[in-house]
Short mmCIF file of all heavy atoms in Angstrom, two decimals:
data_model
loop_
_atom_site.label_atom_id
_atom_site.label_comp_id
_atom_site.label_asym_id
_atom_site.label_seq_id
_atom_site.Cartn_x
_atom_site.Cartn_y
_atom_site.Cartn_z
N MET O 13 -16.71 6.14 6.37
CA MET O 13 -17.53 5.19 5.65
C MET O 13 -17.56 5.60 4.19
O MET O 13 -17.73 6.77 3.89
CB MET O 13 -18.93 5.20 6.27
CG MET O 13 -19.80 4.16 5.73
SD MET O 13 -19.27 2.66 6.48
CE MET O 13 -20.67 1.75 6.78
N THR O 14 -17.36 4.64 3.32
CA THR O 14 -17.36 4.94 1.89
C THR O 14 -17.91 3.76 1.12
O THR O 14 -17.86 2.63 1.59
CB THR O 14 -15.95 5.30 1.40
OG1 THR O 14 -16.00 5.63 0.01
CG2 THR O 14 -14.98 4.16 1.59
N ASN O 15 -18.38 4.02 -0.06
CA ASN O 15 -18.79 2.94 -0.94
C ASN O 15 -17.85 2.88 -2.15
O ASN O 15 -18.19 2.35 -3.18
CB ASN O 15 -20.24 3.10 -1.40
CG ASN O 15 -20.44 4.37 -2.20
OD1 ASN O 15 -19.54 5.18 -2.36
ND2 ASN O 15 -21.65 4.57 -2.70
N GLN O 16 -16.66 3.43 -1.97
CA GLN O 16 -15.66 3.45 -3.03
C GLN O 16 -15.21 2.02 -3.35
O GLN O 16 -14.97 1.22 -2.47
CB GLN O 16 -14.46 4.28 -2.57
CG GLN O 16 -13.36 4.38 -3.59
CD GLN O 16 -12.18 5.22 -3.09
OE1 GLN O 16 -12.21 5.73 -1.97
NE2 GLN O 16 -11.17 5.36 -3.90
N TYR O 17 -15.11 1.74 -4.64
CA TYR O 17 -14.67 0.43 -5.10
C TYR O 17 -13.19 0.49 -5.44
O TYR O 17 -12.70 1.49 -5.95
CB TYR O 17 -15.48 0.04 -6.34
CG TYR O 17 -15.03 -1.26 -6.96
CD1 TYR O 17 -15.45 -2.46 -6.43
CD2 TYR O 17 -14.20 -1.28 -8.07
CE1 TYR O 17 -15.05 -3.67 -6.99
CE2 TYR O 17 -13.79 -2.48 -8.63
CZ TYR O 17 -14.22 -3.67 -8.09
OH TYR O 17 -13.81 -4.85 -8.64
N GLY O 18 -12.47 -0.57 -5.14
CA GLY O 18 -11.06 -0.62 -5.48
C GLY O 18 -10.65 -2.03 -5.86
O GLY O 18 -11.27 -3.00 -5.44
N GLU O 19 -9.63 -2.12 -6.67
CA GLU O 19 -9.02 -3.41 -7.01
C GLU O 19 -7.58 -3.35 -6.54
O GLU O 19 -6.90 -2.34 -6.72
CB GLU O 19 -9.09 -3.66 -8.51
CG GLU O 19 -10.49 -3.84 -9.02
CD GLU O 19 -10.54 -4.25 -10.48
OE1 GLU O 19 -9.54 -4.80 -10.99
OE2 GLU O 19 -11.58 -4.02 -11.10
N TYR O 20 -7.13 -4.43 -5.93
CA TYR O 20 -5.80 -4.46 -5.35
C TYR O 20 -5.01 -5.60 -5.98
O TYR O 20 -5.52 -6.69 -6.16
CB TYR O 20 -5.89 -4.65 -3.83
CG TYR O 20 -6.68 -3.53 -3.17
CD1 TYR O 20 -8.05 -3.66 -2.95
CD2 TYR O 20 -6.05 -2.36 -2.81
CE1 TYR O 20 -8.76 -2.63 -2.37
CE2 TYR O 20 -6.76 -1.33 -2.23
CZ TYR O 20 -8.12 -1.47 -2.02
OH TYR O 20 -8.83 -0.46 -1.44
N PHE O 21 -3.76 -5.32 -6.29
CA PHE O 21 -2.88 -6.30 -6.91
C PHE O 21 -1.59 -6.36 -6.11
O PHE O 21 -1.10 -5.34 -5.63
CB PHE O 21 -2.54 -5.91 -8.35
CG PHE O 21 -3.75 -5.77 -9.23
CD1 PHE O 21 -4.42 -4.57 -9.35
CD2 PHE O 21 -4.25 -6.87 -9.91
CE1 PHE O 21 -5.55 -4.45 -10.14
CE2 PHE O 21 -5.37 -6.76 -10.72
CZ PHE O 21 -6.02 -5.54 -10.83
N LEU O 22 -1.04 -7.54 -5.96
CA LEU O 22 0.24 -7.71 -5.30
C LEU O 22 1.33 -7.70 -6.36
O LEU O 22 1.38 -8.58 -7.22
CB LEU O 22 0.29 -9.02 -4.51
CG LEU O 22 1.62 -9.32 -3.84
CD1 LEU O 22 1.95 -8.25 -2.80
CD2 LEU O 22 1.57 -10.70 -3.20
N ALA O 23 2.18 -6.70 -6.31
CA ALA O 23 3.28 -6.58 -7.26
C ALA O 23 4.59 -6.89 -6.52
O ALA O 23 4.85 -6.34 -5.46
CB ALA O 23 3.32 -5.17 -7.84
N THR O 24 5.38 -7.78 -7.08
CA THR O 24 6.66 -8.15 -6.45
C THR O 24 7.79 -7.92 -7.44
O THR O 24 7.57 -7.76 -8.64
CB THR O 24 6.64 -9.63 -6.02
OG1 THR O 24 6.41 -10.45 -7.17
CG2 THR O 24 5.54 -9.88 -4.98
N ASP O 25 9.00 -7.91 -6.92
CA ASP O 25 10.21 -7.73 -7.73
C ASP O 25 10.15 -6.45 -8.57
O ASP O 25 10.52 -6.43 -9.74
CB ASP O 25 10.45 -8.94 -8.63
CG ASP O 25 10.66 -10.21 -7.83
OD1 ASP O 25 11.33 -10.12 -6.77
OD2 ASP O 25 10.18 -11.27 -8.23
N LEU O 26 9.69 -5.37 -7.96
CA LEU O 26 9.59 -4.09 -8.66
C LEU O 26 10.94 -3.39 -8.69
O LEU O 26 11.77 -3.55 -7.80
CB LEU O 26 8.57 -3.18 -7.95
CG LEU O 26 7.15 -3.70 -7.89
CD1 LEU O 26 6.29 -2.73 -7.08
CD2 LEU O 26 6.57 -3.89 -9.27
N THR O 27 11.16 -2.63 -9.72
CA THR O 27 12.35 -1.78 -9.82
C THR O 27 11.90 -0.37 -10.15
O THR O 27 10.94 -0.18 -10.91
CB THR O 27 13.33 -2.28 -10.91
OG1 THR O 27 12.63 -2.33 -12.15
CG2 THR O 27 13.87 -3.65 -10.57
N PRO O 28 12.57 0.62 -9.59
CA PRO O 28 12.19 2.01 -9.87
C PRO O 28 12.36 2.35 -11.35
O PRO O 28 13.27 1.86 -12.01
CB PRO O 28 13.14 2.84 -9.01
CG PRO O 28 13.68 1.89 -7.99
CD PRO O 28 13.67 0.54 -8.64
N GLY O 29 11.50 3.17 -11.84
CA GLY O 29 11.59 3.65 -13.22
C GLY O 29 11.30 5.14 -13.25
O GLY O 29 11.05 5.76 -12.22
N PRO O 30 11.31 5.73 -14.43
CA PRO O 30 11.04 7.16 -14.52
C PRO O 30 9.59 7.46 -14.17
O PRO O 30 8.70 6.65 -14.42
CB PRO O 30 11.33 7.48 -15.99
CG PRO O 30 11.15 6.19 -16.71
CD PRO O 30 11.55 5.12 -15.73
N SER O 31 9.36 8.61 -13.56
CA SER O 31 7.98 8.98 -13.23
C SER O 31 7.37 9.78 -14.38
O SER O 31 8.07 10.46 -15.12
CB SER O 31 7.95 9.79 -11.94
OG SER O 31 8.65 11.00 -12.10
N ASP O 32 6.09 9.64 -14.52
CA ASP O 32 5.34 10.37 -15.54
C ASP O 32 4.01 10.75 -14.92
O ASP O 32 2.97 10.17 -15.22
CB ASP O 32 5.15 9.50 -16.78
CG ASP O 32 4.45 10.23 -17.92
OD1 ASP O 32 4.46 11.48 -17.91
OD2 ASP O 32 3.90 9.56 -18.80
N LEU O 33 4.06 11.73 -14.01
CA LEU O 33 2.90 12.09 -13.22
C LEU O 33 1.91 12.95 -14.00
O LEU O 33 2.30 13.78 -14.82
CB LEU O 33 3.34 12.84 -11.96
CG LEU O 33 4.27 12.08 -11.01
CD1 LEU O 33 4.69 12.98 -9.86
CD2 LEU O 33 3.61 10.82 -10.50
N GLU O 34 0.65 12.74 -13.71
CA GLU O 34 -0.42 13.59 -14.22
C GLU O 34 -0.38 14.91 -13.44
O GLU O 34 0.15 14.95 -12.32
CB GLU O 34 -1.78 12.91 -14.01
CG GLU O 34 -1.92 11.57 -14.69
CD GLU O 34 -2.04 11.70 -16.20
OE1 GLU O 34 -2.58 12.71 -16.67
OE2 GLU O 34 -1.56 10.78 -16.90
N PRO O 35 -0.93 15.99 -13.98
CA PRO O 35 -0.89 17.28 -13.28
C PRO O 35 -1.44 17.22 -11.85
O PRO O 35 -0.86 17.83 -10.94
CB PRO O 35 -1.74 18.19 -14.16
CG PRO O 35 -1.63 17.61 -15.52
CD PRO O 35 -1.53 16.12 -15.32
N GLU O 36 -2.51 16.46 -11.63
CA GLU O 36 -3.07 16.39 -10.28
C GLU O 36 -2.24 15.52 -9.34
O GLU O 36 -2.51 15.44 -8.15
CB GLU O 36 -4.52 15.90 -10.30
CG GLU O 36 -4.71 14.51 -10.85
CD GLU O 36 -4.89 14.45 -12.37
OE1 GLU O 36 -4.81 15.48 -13.05
OE2 GLU O 36 -5.10 13.35 -12.86
N GLU O 37 -1.22 14.87 -9.86
CA GLU O 37 -0.36 14.00 -9.04
C GLU O 37 0.98 14.65 -8.72
O GLU O 37 1.83 14.03 -8.10
CB GLU O 37 -0.07 12.70 -9.78
CG GLU O 37 -1.30 11.87 -10.09
CD GLU O 37 -1.00 10.68 -10.96
OE1 GLU O 37 -0.16 10.79 -11.89
OE2 GLU O 37 -1.60 9.62 -10.72
N LEU O 38 1.19 15.89 -9.09
CA LEU O 38 2.50 16.51 -8.96
C LEU O 38 2.98 16.62 -7.52
O LEU O 38 4.18 16.71 -7.28
CB LEU O 38 2.52 17.88 -9.65
CG LEU O 38 2.42 17.81 -11.17
CD1 LEU O 38 2.39 19.21 -11.77
CD2 LEU O 38 3.55 16.99 -11.78
N ASP O 39 2.07 16.59 -6.55
CA ASP O 39 2.49 16.62 -5.15
C ASP O 39 2.63 15.22 -4.56
O ASP O 39 2.87 15.05 -3.37
CB ASP O 39 1.52 17.45 -4.31
CG ASP O 39 0.12 16.87 -4.28
OD1 ASP O 39 -0.20 16.00 -5.12
OD2 ASP O 39 -0.66 17.27 -3.41
N LEU O 40 2.52 14.19 -5.40
CA LEU O 40 2.61 12.81 -4.95
C LEU O 40 4.03 12.51 -4.45
O LEU O 40 5.01 12.89 -5.07
CB LEU O 40 2.28 11.86 -6.11
CG LEU O 40 2.31 10.38 -5.83
CD1 LEU O 40 1.16 10.01 -4.89
CD2 LEU O 40 2.20 9.60 -7.11
N LYS O 41 4.08 11.84 -3.31
CA LYS O 41 5.37 11.43 -2.74
C LYS O 41 5.33 9.93 -2.52
O LYS O 41 4.30 9.36 -2.19
CB LYS O 41 5.60 12.12 -1.40
CG LYS O 41 5.69 13.62 -1.50
CD LYS O 41 5.82 14.23 -0.14
CE LYS O 41 5.77 15.75 -0.26
NZ LYS O 41 5.76 16.39 1.04
N HIS O 42 6.45 9.27 -2.74
CA HIS O 42 6.53 7.84 -2.44
C HIS O 42 7.85 7.55 -1.74
O HIS O 42 8.81 8.31 -1.85
CB HIS O 42 6.39 7.00 -3.72
CG HIS O 42 7.60 7.04 -4.59
ND1 HIS O 42 7.82 8.03 -5.50
CD2 HIS O 42 8.66 6.22 -4.67
CE1 HIS O 42 8.96 7.82 -6.13
NE2 HIS O 42 9.49 6.72 -5.64
N GLU O 43 7.85 6.45 -1.01
CA GLU O 43 9.03 6.09 -0.23
C GLU O 43 8.99 4.58 0.00
O GLU O 43 7.94 4.02 0.31
CB GLU O 43 8.98 6.83 1.10
CG GLU O 43 10.10 6.51 2.05
CD GLU O 43 9.97 7.29 3.36
OE1 GLU O 43 9.08 8.14 3.48
OE2 GLU O 43 10.77 7.00 4.25
N TRP O 44 10.11 3.90 -0.19
CA TRP O 44 10.20 2.48 0.13
C TRP O 44 10.45 2.36 1.63
O TRP O 44 11.36 2.98 2.17
CB TRP O 44 11.36 1.83 -0.64
CG TRP O 44 11.16 1.83 -2.12
CD1 TRP O 44 11.67 2.74 -3.01
CD2 TRP O 44 10.42 0.90 -2.89
NE1 TRP O 44 11.27 2.42 -4.28
CE2 TRP O 44 10.50 1.30 -4.24
CE3 TRP O 44 9.67 -0.23 -2.58
CZ2 TRP O 44 9.88 0.61 -5.27
CZ3 TRP O 44 9.06 -0.92 -3.61
CH2 TRP O 44 9.16 -0.50 -4.93
N VAL O 45 9.65 1.56 2.31
CA VAL O 45 9.82 1.35 3.75
C VAL O 45 9.70 -0.15 4.04
O VAL O 45 9.10 -0.90 3.27
CB VAL O 45 8.76 2.12 4.57
CG1 VAL O 45 8.92 3.62 4.39
CG2 VAL O 45 7.35 1.68 4.24
N THR O 46 10.26 -0.54 5.15
CA THR O 46 10.12 -1.92 5.59
C THR O 46 8.71 -2.13 6.15
O THR O 46 7.98 -1.17 6.42
CB THR O 46 11.13 -2.26 6.70
OG1 THR O 46 10.81 -1.47 7.86
CG2 THR O 46 12.57 -1.99 6.26
N ARG O 47 8.35 -3.37 6.33
CA ARG O 47 7.04 -3.67 6.91
C ARG O 47 6.94 -3.07 8.31
O ARG O 47 5.91 -2.51 8.68
CB ARG O 47 6.80 -5.17 6.96
CG ARG O 47 5.42 -5.51 7.47
CD ARG O 47 5.15 -6.97 7.45
NE ARG O 47 4.99 -7.42 6.08
CZ ARG O 47 4.19 -8.39 5.70
NH1 ARG O 47 3.48 -9.04 6.59
NH2 ARG O 47 4.10 -8.75 4.45
N ALA O 48 7.99 -3.19 9.11
CA ALA O 48 7.97 -2.64 10.46
C ALA O 48 7.78 -1.12 10.42
O ALA O 48 7.03 -0.56 11.23
CB ALA O 48 9.26 -3.00 11.20
N GLU O 49 8.45 -0.45 9.48
CA GLU O 49 8.28 1.00 9.35
C GLU O 49 6.85 1.34 8.93
O GLU O 49 6.25 2.29 9.44
CB GLU O 49 9.27 1.57 8.33
CG GLU O 49 10.71 1.54 8.80
CD GLU O 49 11.69 1.87 7.68
OE1 GLU O 49 11.52 1.35 6.56
OE2 GLU O 49 12.62 2.67 7.95
N PHE O 50 6.28 0.55 7.99
CA PHE O 50 4.92 0.79 7.55
C PHE O 50 3.95 0.66 8.72
O PHE O 50 3.07 1.50 8.92
CB PHE O 50 4.54 -0.19 6.43
CG PHE O 50 3.14 -0.01 5.93
CD1 PHE O 50 2.88 0.87 4.91
CD2 PHE O 50 2.10 -0.72 6.50
CE1 PHE O 50 1.58 1.05 4.45
CE2 PHE O 50 0.80 -0.55 6.05
CZ PHE O 50 0.54 0.34 5.02
N GLU O 51 4.11 -0.40 9.50
CA GLU O 51 3.22 -0.61 10.64
C GLU O 51 3.37 0.50 11.67
O GLU O 51 2.39 0.94 12.27
CB GLU O 51 3.44 -1.99 11.23
CG GLU O 51 2.96 -3.08 10.28
CD GLU O 51 3.17 -4.49 10.79
OE1 GLU O 51 3.73 -4.67 11.89
OE2 GLU O 51 2.76 -5.42 10.07
N ALA O 52 4.59 0.99 11.87
CA ALA O 52 4.80 2.12 12.78
C ALA O 52 4.10 3.37 12.24
O ALA O 52 3.50 4.14 13.00
CB ALA O 52 6.30 2.39 12.97
N MET O 53 4.14 3.54 10.93
CA MET O 53 3.50 4.71 10.31
C MET O 53 1.98 4.64 10.44
O MET O 53 1.31 5.67 10.54
CB MET O 53 3.91 4.82 8.84
CG MET O 53 5.37 5.14 8.66
SD MET O 53 5.93 4.96 6.96
CE MET O 53 5.36 6.50 6.26
N THR O 54 1.41 3.43 10.46
CA THR O 54 -0.03 3.32 10.69
C THR O 54 -0.35 3.58 12.16
O THR O 54 -1.36 4.20 12.48
CB THR O 54 -0.59 1.95 10.26
OG1 THR O 54 -0.01 0.92 11.04
CG2 THR O 54 -0.33 1.70 8.79
N SER O 55 0.52 3.11 13.04
CA SER O 55 0.28 3.29 14.48
C SER O 55 0.34 4.75 14.90
O SER O 55 -0.44 5.19 15.74
CB SER O 55 1.31 2.49 15.29
OG SER O 55 1.12 1.12 15.09
N ASP O 56 1.28 5.50 14.33
CA ASP O 56 1.40 6.91 14.72
C ASP O 56 0.64 7.85 13.78
O ASP O 56 0.82 9.05 13.80
CB ASP O 56 2.85 7.33 14.89
CG ASP O 56 3.66 7.32 13.61
OD1 ASP O 56 3.06 7.37 12.51
OD2 ASP O 56 4.90 7.27 13.70
N ARG O 57 -0.22 7.28 12.94
CA ARG O 57 -1.15 8.01 12.08
C ARG O 57 -0.48 8.84 10.98
O ARG O 57 -1.05 9.81 10.50
CB ARG O 57 -2.09 8.87 12.91
CG ARG O 57 -2.96 8.05 13.82
CD ARG O 57 -3.93 8.92 14.60
NE ARG O 57 -4.72 8.10 15.48
CZ ARG O 57 -5.98 7.76 15.22
NH1 ARG O 57 -6.57 8.16 14.14
NH2 ARG O 57 -6.64 7.01 16.08
N ARG O 58 0.71 8.42 10.55
CA ARG O 58 1.28 9.04 9.35
C ARG O 58 0.62 8.46 8.11
O ARG O 58 0.58 9.10 7.07
CB ARG O 58 2.79 8.83 9.30
CG ARG O 58 3.55 9.75 10.25
CD ARG O 58 5.03 9.49 10.17
NE ARG O 58 5.34 8.25 10.88
CZ ARG O 58 6.45 7.54 10.72
NH1 ARG O 58 7.36 7.92 9.86
NH2 ARG O 58 6.64 6.44 11.41
N ILE O 59 0.10 7.23 8.21
CA ILE O 59 -0.69 6.62 7.14
C ILE O 59 -2.10 6.44 7.67
O ILE O 59 -2.32 5.70 8.63
CB ILE O 59 -0.10 5.26 6.70
CG1 ILE O 59 1.28 5.45 6.10
CG2 ILE O 59 -1.04 4.58 5.71
CD1 ILE O 59 1.98 4.15 5.72
N VAL O 60 -3.05 7.13 7.04
CA VAL O 60 -4.45 7.02 7.45
C VAL O 60 -5.38 6.77 6.26
O VAL O 60 -6.59 6.62 6.44
CB VAL O 60 -4.91 8.30 8.21
CG1 VAL O 60 -4.15 8.46 9.51
CG2 VAL O 60 -4.76 9.53 7.34
N ASP O 61 -4.82 6.70 5.07
CA ASP O 61 -5.63 6.50 3.87
C ASP O 61 -6.34 5.15 3.93
O ASP O 61 -5.70 4.10 4.10
CB ASP O 61 -4.73 6.58 2.64
CG ASP O 61 -5.47 6.27 1.37
OD1 ASP O 61 -6.34 7.07 0.98
OD2 ASP O 61 -5.20 5.21 0.78
N ASP O 62 -7.67 5.17 3.76
CA ASP O 62 -8.43 3.94 3.91
C ASP O 62 -8.11 2.90 2.85
O ASP O 62 -8.07 1.70 3.14
CB ASP O 62 -9.93 4.22 3.95
CG ASP O 62 -10.44 4.95 2.72
OD1 ASP O 62 -9.65 5.46 1.92
OD2 ASP O 62 -11.68 5.01 2.56
N SER O 63 -7.81 3.30 1.63
CA SER O 63 -7.47 2.33 0.59
C SER O 63 -6.14 1.66 0.87
O SER O 63 -5.98 0.46 0.64
CB SER O 63 -7.44 3.01 -0.79
OG SER O 63 -8.73 3.46 -1.12
N THR O 64 -5.18 2.42 1.37
CA THR O 64 -3.88 1.86 1.72
C THR O 64 -4.03 0.85 2.85
O THR O 64 -3.46 -0.25 2.80
CB THR O 64 -2.91 2.98 2.13
OG1 THR O 64 -2.78 3.89 1.04
CG2 THR O 64 -1.55 2.44 2.51
N LEU O 65 -4.80 1.21 3.86
CA LEU O 65 -4.99 0.32 5.00
C LEU O 65 -5.78 -0.93 4.61
O LEU O 65 -5.48 -2.03 5.08
CB LEU O 65 -5.67 1.06 6.15
CG LEU O 65 -4.84 2.23 6.71
CD1 LEU O 65 -5.65 3.02 7.71
CD2 LEU O 65 -3.54 1.75 7.30
N ALA O 66 -6.76 -0.78 3.72
CA ALA O 66 -7.53 -1.94 3.25
C ALA O 66 -6.62 -2.89 2.46
O ALA O 66 -6.71 -4.11 2.63
CB ALA O 66 -8.69 -1.48 2.38
N ALA O 67 -5.76 -2.35 1.61
CA ALA O 67 -4.85 -3.19 0.83
C ALA O 67 -3.91 -3.96 1.76
O ALA O 67 -3.65 -5.15 1.54
CB ALA O 67 -4.05 -2.33 -0.15
N TYR O 68 -3.42 -3.31 2.80
CA TYR O 68 -2.53 -3.99 3.74
C TYR O 68 -3.28 -5.08 4.50
O TYR O 68 -2.75 -6.17 4.72
CB TYR O 68 -1.88 -2.98 4.70
CG TYR O 68 -0.79 -3.59 5.53
CD1 TYR O 68 0.34 -4.15 4.92
CD2 TYR O 68 -0.87 -3.64 6.91
CE1 TYR O 68 1.34 -4.73 5.68
CE2 TYR O 68 0.13 -4.21 7.67
CZ TYR O 68 1.23 -4.76 7.06
OH TYR O 68 2.23 -5.34 7.80
N ALA O 69 -4.51 -4.80 4.89
CA ALA O 69 -5.32 -5.82 5.58
C ALA O 69 -5.53 -7.03 4.68
O ALA O 69 -5.46 -8.18 5.14
CB ALA O 69 -6.66 -5.22 6.01
N LEU O 70 -5.80 -6.81 3.40
CA LEU O 70 -5.96 -7.91 2.46
C LEU O 70 -4.67 -8.72 2.33
O LEU O 70 -4.70 -9.95 2.23
CB LEU O 70 -6.41 -7.40 1.10
CG LEU O 70 -7.84 -6.86 1.05
CD1 LEU O 70 -8.09 -6.15 -0.28
CD2 LEU O 70 -8.84 -7.96 1.28
N LEU O 71 -3.52 -8.05 2.33
CA LEU O 71 -2.23 -8.73 2.29
C LEU O 71 -2.07 -9.63 3.51
O LEU O 71 -1.70 -10.80 3.40
CB LEU O 71 -1.09 -7.72 2.21
CG LEU O 71 0.31 -8.30 2.38
CD1 LEU O 71 0.69 -9.18 1.19
CD2 LEU O 71 1.33 -7.19 2.57
N LEU O 72 -2.37 -9.08 4.69
CA LEU O 72 -2.23 -9.87 5.92
C LEU O 72 -3.16 -11.08 5.92
O LEU O 72 -2.76 -12.18 6.34
CB LEU O 72 -2.52 -8.98 7.14
CG LEU O 72 -1.53 -7.85 7.39
CD1 LEU O 72 -2.00 -7.00 8.58
CD2 LEU O 72 -0.13 -8.35 7.59
N LEU O 73 -4.38 -10.90 5.45
CA LEU O 73 -5.32 -12.03 5.38
C LEU O 73 -4.83 -13.10 4.40
O LEU O 73 -4.92 -14.30 4.69
CB LEU O 73 -6.70 -11.53 4.96
CG LEU O 73 -7.44 -10.70 6.01
CD1 LEU O 73 -8.67 -10.06 5.38
CD2 LEU O 73 -7.81 -11.54 7.20
N ALA O 74 -4.30 -12.69 3.25
CA ALA O 74 -3.79 -13.66 2.28
C ALA O 74 -2.60 -14.42 2.84
O ALA O 74 -2.48 -15.63 2.63
CB ALA O 74 -3.41 -12.95 0.98
N GLU O 75 -1.74 -13.73 3.57
CA GLU O 75 -0.60 -14.41 4.21
C GLU O 75 -1.09 -15.40 5.26
O GLU O 75 -0.59 -16.52 5.34
CB GLU O 75 0.34 -13.39 4.84
CG GLU O 75 1.14 -12.62 3.84
CD GLU O 75 2.05 -11.60 4.49
OE1 GLU O 75 1.72 -11.06 5.55
OE2 GLU O 75 3.12 -11.33 3.91
N ARG O 76 -2.08 -15.00 6.05
CA ARG O 76 -2.60 -15.88 7.10
C ARG O 76 -3.23 -17.14 6.52
O ARG O 76 -3.08 -18.23 7.06
CB ARG O 76 -3.64 -15.13 7.94
CG ARG O 76 -4.12 -15.95 9.12
CD ARG O 76 -5.18 -15.27 9.92
NE ARG O 76 -4.69 -14.02 10.46
CZ ARG O 76 -5.49 -13.10 11.01
NH1 ARG O 76 -6.79 -13.29 11.05
NH2 ARG O 76 -4.99 -12.00 11.50
N ARG O 77 -3.93 -16.99 5.38
CA ARG O 77 -4.53 -18.15 4.72
C ARG O 77 -3.48 -19.03 4.05
O ARG O 77 -3.77 -20.15 3.66
CB ARG O 77 -5.52 -17.68 3.64
CG ARG O 77 -6.83 -17.17 4.13
CD ARG O 77 -7.82 -16.99 3.00
NE ARG O 77 -7.26 -16.24 1.88
CZ ARG O 77 -7.42 -14.92 1.68
NH1 ARG O 77 -8.10 -14.20 2.55
NH2 ARG O 77 -6.90 -14.34 0.62
N GLY O 78 -2.29 -18.51 3.84
CA GLY O 78 -1.24 -19.25 3.16
C GLY O 78 -1.28 -19.08 1.65
O GLY O 78 -0.61 -19.82 0.93
N ASP O 79 -2.05 -18.11 1.17
CA ASP O 79 -2.14 -17.86 -0.26
C ASP O 79 -0.84 -17.30 -0.84
O ASP O 79 -0.53 -17.52 -2.01
CB ASP O 79 -3.27 -16.87 -0.58
CG ASP O 79 -4.64 -17.42 -0.24
OD1 ASP O 79 -4.75 -18.65 -0.06
OD2 ASP O 79 -5.58 -16.63 -0.17
N ILE O 80 -0.10 -16.58 0.00
CA ILE O 80 1.16 -15.97 -0.44
C ILE O 80 2.18 -16.10 0.67
O ILE O 80 1.85 -16.21 1.84
CB ILE O 80 1.00 -14.50 -0.85
CG1 ILE O 80 0.42 -13.69 0.30
CG2 ILE O 80 0.17 -14.34 -2.08
CD1 ILE O 80 0.39 -12.20 0.05
N ASP O 81 3.45 -16.07 0.31
CA ASP O 81 4.54 -16.10 1.26
C ASP O 81 5.58 -15.11 0.78
O ASP O 81 6.25 -15.34 -0.23
CB ASP O 81 5.13 -17.50 1.37
CG ASP O 81 6.29 -17.59 2.35
OD1 ASP O 81 6.49 -16.64 3.14
OD2 ASP O 81 7.02 -18.59 2.31
N LEU O 82 5.73 -14.00 1.49
CA LEU O 82 6.68 -12.96 1.10
C LEU O 82 7.95 -13.00 1.93
O LEU O 82 8.75 -12.09 1.86
CB LEU O 82 6.02 -11.57 1.20
CG LEU O 82 4.82 -11.35 0.30
CD1 LEU O 82 4.23 -9.96 0.53
CD2 LEU O 82 5.21 -11.52 -1.16
N SER O 83 8.14 -14.06 2.70
CA SER O 83 9.34 -14.12 3.55
C SER O 83 10.57 -14.50 2.76
O SER O 83 10.55 -14.89 1.65
CB SER O 83 9.13 -15.09 4.70
OG SER O 83 8.82 -16.38 4.22
#
């Protein structure tokens, strides 16, 4: 349970660029995965971060409402 506030944005057509990490981010890892891989990672608890899961839930809700179409 948290009262943490967050803002979420849908970014599309991204391209990799150079990284410029802050000192506290030096252990940060990122990886491009398919939606099926992401969902598998949530199912087997490789992804448990609440902000990440909340953002994905918001994406699913927006798709269900027809606000966005990523197909």
Side-chain angles (χ1 to χ4, degrees):
M13 187 76 143
T14 182
N15 62 355
Q16 180 180 0
Y17 176 80
E19 294 186 23
Y20 301 92
F21 301 90
L22 177 62
T24 59
D25 298 321
L26 299 176
T27 57
S31 63
D32 184 20
L33 300 176
E34 301 288 329
E36 62 272 4
E37 298 173 322
L38 291 178
D39 63 344
L40 181 68
K41 297 176 186 174
H42 73 275
E43 177 180 355
W44 295 97
V45 297
T46 65
R47 184 177 288 213
E49 290 169 316
F50 180 88
E51 291 179 358
M53 293 169 81
T54 63
S55 294
D56 66 21
R57 298 182 181 257
R58 284 179 284 161
I59 296 176
V60 296
D61 175 68
D62 58 347
S63 295
T64 301
L65 297 173
Y68 189 60
L70 290 170
L71 171 68
L72 295 176
L73 290 170
E75 287 179 329
R76 185 183 300 167
R77 284 191 310 264
D79 295 344
I80 57 173
D81 179 14
L82 298 178
S83 59

